[in-house]
Amino acid sequence: MADALPRDAVVAVIGAGTMGAGIAQVAAVAGHPVIVYDAAEGAAARAVAAVRDRVARLVQKGRLEGPVDLRLEVAGELGELARAGCVIEAVAEDLAVKQALFADLEKVVAPDCVLATNTSSLSPTAIAAGLSHPGRLVGLHFFNPAPVMRLVEVVSGLATDPAVAAAVTTLAQGWGKQVVQASATPGFIVNRVARPFYAEALRLAEERVASPATIDAVLTQAGGFRMGPFALMDLVGQDVNEAVTRSVWTAFGYDPRF
């Protein structure tokens, strides 16, 4: 059974890309000691430096009350995450990669460490399938940019212990996030709804109905959207968006809707 994580619990983030760095920033600003690990040499150190710089600028501009004592450190290898109370994975959207990572993590962390995946569309049930203790793995899906976007989806797999889901819900709420519970359907809530949002915009551009800039302008200026589909795809990353779309499409049996 997982209890709510105290503020002094170590949070480890695996993956030092845009999303991983953003999650590390959220956890560190909330007061947690944070360890960042990435298999690519130098990536974690660059991410930590970038987080420190961003937070310093926010304090300087008065958008964040300071001073902020960021307890951020870099791990050189996976074994250095042994003292983490919660590990959040933000690596490539690839089932085999995530399964292998969590299998390795299970050999390192304590039995009561919560394992969370930031997957955008993959089933937490499938990710946890090969674990000795699949009940401690849960989906904790942040949105980009993590420090700004308030929404977080908590996604329980079939084996997820309800106490683990409750613990990460409390954790994210303590970080100022608006948490929704989502079932482990492909794409969960937001990314399932977003597939036709992107796809129809791409079809409009492909058919030369309007330019990407015009489509974005119509949806933002007349439709009330904060960002148009093309600007949002650029923010998320075309590689990430393609991987999520392919994942949802495959999971729904190649349904032409996706």
Side-chain angles (χ1 to χ4, degrees):
M1 295 289 285
D3 298 319
L5 274 80
R7 194 52 55 98
D8 60 353
V10 175
V11 174
V13 178
I14 301 179
T18 302
M19 182 57 75
I23 295 170
Q25 179 177 326
V26 171
V29 168
H32 286 272
V34 177
I35 308 172
V36 181
Y37 171 75
D38 196 295
E41 186 176 354
R46 289 191 296 272
V48 166
V51 168
R52 291 189 184 281
D53 184 57
R54 279 199 301 271
V55 171
R57 290 201 309 269
L58 289 171
V59 171
Q60 187 178 30
K61 293 177 181 178
R63 295 170 61 184
L64 187 64
E65 187 176 346
V68 179
D69 179 24
L70 296 178
R71 293 184 285 172
L72 276 165
E73 62 182 271
V74 173
E77 57 185 35
L78 207 61
E80 294 177 41
L81 309 187
R83 55 195 174 91
C86 176
V87 179
I88 304 172
E89 162 273 314
V91 301
E93 192 72 351
D94 182 295
L95 179 60
V97 170
K98 292 181 188 293
Q99 286 176 326
L101 173 61
F102 281 114
D104 289 340
L105 263 176
E106 198 172 38
K107 302 170 187 174
V108 170
V109 298
D112 60 348
C113 177
V114 172
L115 304 180
T117 172
N118 187 59
T119 179
S120 303
S121 60
L122 298 172
S123 167
T125 302
I127 293 172
L131 297 180
S132 300
H133 303 287
R136 60 170 164 168
L137 187 141
V138 64
L140 188 63
H141 181 215
F142 291 79
F143 293 84
N144 190 29
V148 176
M149 298 294 285
R150 290 195 63 213
L151 181 64
V152 170
E153 292 175 321
V154 170
V155 188
S156 294
L158 291 176
T160 302
D161 187 330
V164 170
V168 296
T169 296
T170 301
L171 183 68
Q173 287 172 337
W175 295 351
K177 299 302 183 183
Q178 179 67 52
V179 179
V180 296
Q181 305 291 327
S183 64
T185 184
F188 318 136
I189 300 170
V190 174
N191 270 310
R192 181 169 173 181
V193 171
R195 292 315 99 198
F197 179 66
Y198 297 130
E200 288 303 321
L202 289 165
R203 288 188 184 100
L204 285 169
E206 185 179 43
E207 295 166 10
R208 299 186 179 181
V209 174
S211 69
T214 299
I215 295 167
D216 275 4
V218 168
L219 286 170
T220 55
Q221 296 174 29
F225 286 81
R226 293 286 296 274
M227 295 183 72
F230 292 97
L232 191 52
M233 282 187 280
D234 286 342
L235 176 65
V236 170
Q238 299 296 343
D239 56 339
V240 174
N241 195 51
E242 190 273 341
V244 174
T245 299
R246 187 173 295 278
S247 171
V248 173
W249 178 56
T250 302
F252 277 106
Y254 308 104
D255 190 319
R257 288 181 300 161
F258 304 107

